[in-house]
Amino acid sequence: MDLPRYERLKFELAELIRTAQLAAPGGGGADPWPGLLTRLAEDRFTVVVAGRFSRGKSSLMNAVLGTDRLPTGVVPVTSVITSVRYGSSERLVVDYLGGRARGTAAVEELEALVTAQGNPGNERGVRAVEIQLPAEILRRGFYFVDTPGLGSTLLESSETTERFIPEIDLLLLVTGFEGPLSEDEARFLRQAAATVRAVFVVVNKQDGVPPPARDQVMEYVERAAGAALGGRPFRLFSVSARDGLAAKRANDAARLRASGLPVFEAELVSFLARERAGVFLSSTCDRVLAGIESLPGPGRGELRPRLRGLAARIDAAAKEVGPPGPDPAGTLSAGPQRATPPAFSGCEVCAAIEAEEHRFLARYQLELSTQAPAREAHAARGGFCPFHTWHYERITSPRAVCTAYPPTLERAASLLRSPEASARPFAALAPRCPACELRGRTEEDALTLAAERAGRPGPGGEAELPRTCLPHLRPVLSRLRDEAARRRLLAQQAAWLERAAEDMQRYAVKHDGLRRWLTSAEERGAPQHALELLAGRRRVSGASPGGDGD
């Protein structure tokens, strides 16, 4: 099961909980529904990355994330835990010792906070640093924790890492081909064996030894780790984090496969989805069933079969084996890290229309308020259409309206008083709106430009695809003759719609679970983005007259 499917099952469960909440009688008794929604809102999977200093823990995390934001090859500060979670933009959240308020910082300041070079003796009093990055795997629920090195000469570093054992959903122990599985690492595995749900052991830096020697090291680690874990099952991987990150950046599929990183990533994602479906969602279903049993008869009768069907699908998904299924959102891939579409930042055709209309109306309203010929010409045209009348009203002053519009009103009154008015009273009043004429020209130019760019190969061989809302997607496609470009454009639009739907559902779950502070900027902006994708910009596609709250 892939992670998008897991999330769809979670969103279905949240919807069923909301339905049960509405069916529950008011007053008295325990209400389990808010707590269940909070449980779903807080869903995350903690992967603790441990190992001796210089094993390449940070390098491995950088390779998985496709970034270089975690400092490598530096001595860690005593006791500072560095965690990595999803954020719509890059930033650090710093937790200080001594009751000081949390602060934020730029990612570039990380080394100055968490390394012995930048923060000797932890003189800055840092307890923990959270790195927020817009990496897709983090958006899907992973929460990485990069612990201080085991066996450090700084005793407190090892103790801090060991104290973190109860927080672990998945322990990712990173050792190396040079001096594999030290006594400190084996001791840590023995300590973790009783409480950690799952263990992955990664032997890093395979690029430094020839293949025959790799096999010998892997056999040794398999025996030693198995003994430390008391025969408990674990997964073992051989990788080169350095080569994997370099291959992702170069889009080199062959080198990426040789690094061993895709096999590790695929199992990491697959395990996450199976584990969350098998443990988290299944146990939540049990709690929902207990709540449903407390409902009045009609509520139980409707919701029981829905929950049983959902629980059966969750159980089947948890038992799936084999590689993860297709991931339309591009969480990870077995080849070079798949590029997700650039974030939808608004329809560029709508943006061109809005900008040109604003420039035109800003100039035109000044002419109307200062020049009598402009007022007479405006009256002769019948003024603006209703839509642009209110655009005009928003950007000007009451005094300017009072100066500009008397000729238009007087012309309308004169036409209504004419002998012909009773036969066709409004035909002569129909405006020839200058803003509508400008809009038509601007829209045509923007659509043509977007289609030309979509059909013209860019520096990487593929065209730079335009950003459009659904109303403007169709006319762009009608101008585009390249079938491959049409398919890419449609796929991009579908990915944006799917992503907006996911962000909206995440926002709703966190809102209903009283965990709004966990929402990302993308989730908070999802309602606006989703409606703009479907209908275009509000001020271009038809806002209600009068009031947008500005």
Side-chain angles (χ1 to χ4, degrees):
M1 178 175 62
D2 58 20
L3 294 181
R5 183 179 172 197
Y6 164 80
E7 288 201 291
R8 287 194 295 272
L9 291 170
K10 183 174 81 171
F11 296 147
E12 282 189 55
L13 186 55
E15 186 59 31
L16 193 148
I17 292 171
R18 294 187 191 102
T19 303
Q21 191 172 21
L22 291 173
D31 183 358
W33 313 117
L36 288 168
L37 288 169
T38 298
R39 177 179 169 87
L40 293 180
E42 292 179 336
D43 174 30
R44 74 180 184 188
F45 196 83
T46 302
V47 180
V48 169
V49 187
R52 288 179 63 88
F53 167 66
S54 84
R55 292 299 204 186
K57 305 189 311 296
S58 297
S59 296
L60 181 63
M61 293 170 66
N62 279 336
V64 170
L65 297 171
T67 183
D68 60 357
R69 287 316 210 180
L70 297 178
T72 60
V74 293
V75 178
V77 167
T78 308
S79 75
V80 174
I81 295 286
T82 304
S83 58
V84 188
R85 76 171 178 88
Y86 184 78
S88 301
S89 59
E90 294 184 352
R91 71 168 185 164
L92 303 180
V93 178
V94 187
D95 189 14
Y96 292 99
L97 298 168
R100 289 171 56 193
R102 301 181 89 194
T104 60
V107 173
E108 289 75 15
E109 297 181 50
L110 182 61
E111 287 198 34
L113 294 167
V114 304
T115 68
Q117 294 93 324
N119 187 13
N122 198 13
E123 61 187 16
R124 301 180 68 171
V126 178
R127 184 194 306 276
V129 175
E130 180 181 270
I131 308 167
Q132 297 181 4
L133 297 173
E136 189 65 23
I137 190 171
L138 300 174
R139 180 174 172 266
R140 294 294 181 185
F142 278 103
Y143 180 76
F144 286 99
V145 180
D146 185 15
T147 60
L150 297 171
S152 170
T153 55
L154 302 171
L155 176 62
E156 192 179 350
S157 291
S158 293
E159 292 175 347
T160 298
T161 298
E162 290 162 7
R163 286 199 302 268
F164 213 84
I165 287 176
E167 306 290 330
I168 300 173
D169 289 315
L170 170 66
L171 171 62
L172 180 56
L173 181 72
V174 183
T175 187
F177 277 91
E178 77 298 349
L181 206 67
S182 68
E183 177 54 36
D184 299 300
E185 292 165 341
R187 178 170 59 85
F188 187 68
L189 285 179
R190 287 193 292 272
Q191 287 179 295
T195 56
V196 174
R197 276 195 260 168
V199 177
F200 283 11
V201 177
V202 176
V203 188
N204 190 24
K205 304 183 182 179
Q206 69 175 23
D207 52 294
V209 296
R214 290 181 203 170
D215 295 340
Q216 294 176 8
V217 170
M218 294 298 286
E219 290 173 5
Y220 166 76
V221 173
E222 186 169 18
R223 290 194 306 271
L229 290 167
R232 173 181 174 164
F234 66 98
R235 292 298 312 271
L236 180 63
F237 305 89
S238 170
V239 306
S240 170
R242 184 185 67 178
D243 286 355
L245 178 57
K248 283 186 176 182
R249 288 181 163 176
N251 205 36
D252 186 337
R255 188 180 181 189
L256 184 58
R257 285 192 298 271
S259 75
L261 195 64
V263 173
F264 166 67
E265 288 178 339
E267 183 57 30
L268 186 65
V269 172
S270 180
F271 175 83
L272 169 66
R274 289 196 309 270
E275 179 76 2
R276 288 163 98 186
V279 177
F280 178 73
L281 290 187
S282 294
S283 63
T284 305
C285 281
D286 292 340
R287 299 185 188 195
V288 174
L289 179 60
I292 288 174
E293 294 302 327
S294 69
L295 295 176
R300 290 199 306 272
E302 175 195 351
L303 292 173
R304 263 201 208 118
R306 281 181 58 186
L307 180 62
R308 285 174 182 154
L310 178 57
R313 286 190 287 130
I314 290 171
D315 185 59
K319 293 176 180 175
E320 287 180 1
V321 294
D327 182 358
T331 302
L332 289 169
S333 69
Q337 190 164 28
R338 186 170 170 181
T340 54
F344 179 73
S345 56
C347 173
E348 61 188 61
V349 179
C350 285
I353 294 170
E354 187 175 53
E356 194 60 33
E357 283 184 341
H358 182 80
R359 282 192 293 269
F360 169 77
L361 289 172
R363 184 185 71 251
Y364 196 74
Q365 65 87 20
L366 180 61
E367 293 174 357
L368 289 178
S369 65
T370 60
Q371 300 176 21
R375 291 193 285 272
E376 294 300 328
H378 188 65
R381 297 179 67 101
F384 293 117
C385 68
F387 181 70
H388 286 113
T389 296
W390 290 106
H391 272 240
Y392 159 77
E393 184 271 342
R394 287 191 191 102
I395 67 170
T396 195
S397 67
R399 186 264 177 197
V401 175
C402 291
T403 302
Y405 257 77
T408 303
L409 272 64
E410 289 168 353
R411 174 182 178 273
S414 175
L415 289 170
L416 291 176
R417 291 183 186 279
S418 67
E420 298 83 11
S422 59
R424 300 181 63 194
F426 295 106
L429 291 175
R432 292 179 290 114
C433 176
C436 283
E437 293 174 358
L438 174 80
R439 175 200 172 108
R441 295 191 299 272
T442 303
E443 185 172 41
E444 181 65 27
D445 291 344
L447 290 169
T448 300
L449 182 63
E452 287 176 354
R453 195 170 75 250
R456 186 172 57 243
E462 287 191 351
E464 177 192 353
L465 297 178
R467 303 182 312 276
T468 67
C469 58
L470 281 181
H472 285 130
L473 176 63
R474 184 172 180 177
V476 169
L477 288 172
S478 70
R479 291 163 167 78
L480 193 55
R481 297 292 172 257
D482 185 336
E483 184 57 32
R486 289 168 61 90
R487 288 196 299 269
R488 288 196 302 272
L489 190 55
L490 289 168
Q492 173 178 271
Q493 201 78 15
W496 279 332
L497 292 165
E498 289 164 350
R499 190 178 186 92
E502 289 173 353
D503 284 337
M504 293 172 82
Q505 291 173 97
R506 287 195 190 97
Y507 179 87
V509 168
K510 292 170 185 176
H511 180 282
D512 294 349
L514 305 179
R515 291 297 182 271
R516 296 186 207 182
W517 65 84
L518 295 177
T519 58
S520 68
E522 286 171 302
E523 290 160 1
R524 293 190 293 274
Q528 184 74 26
H529 282 151
L531 296 182
E532 185 172 337
L533 271 166
L534 290 173
R537 287 199 178 186
R538 182 180 185 185
R539 294 191 183 186
V540 171
S541 299
S544 298
D548 62 353
D550 290 350

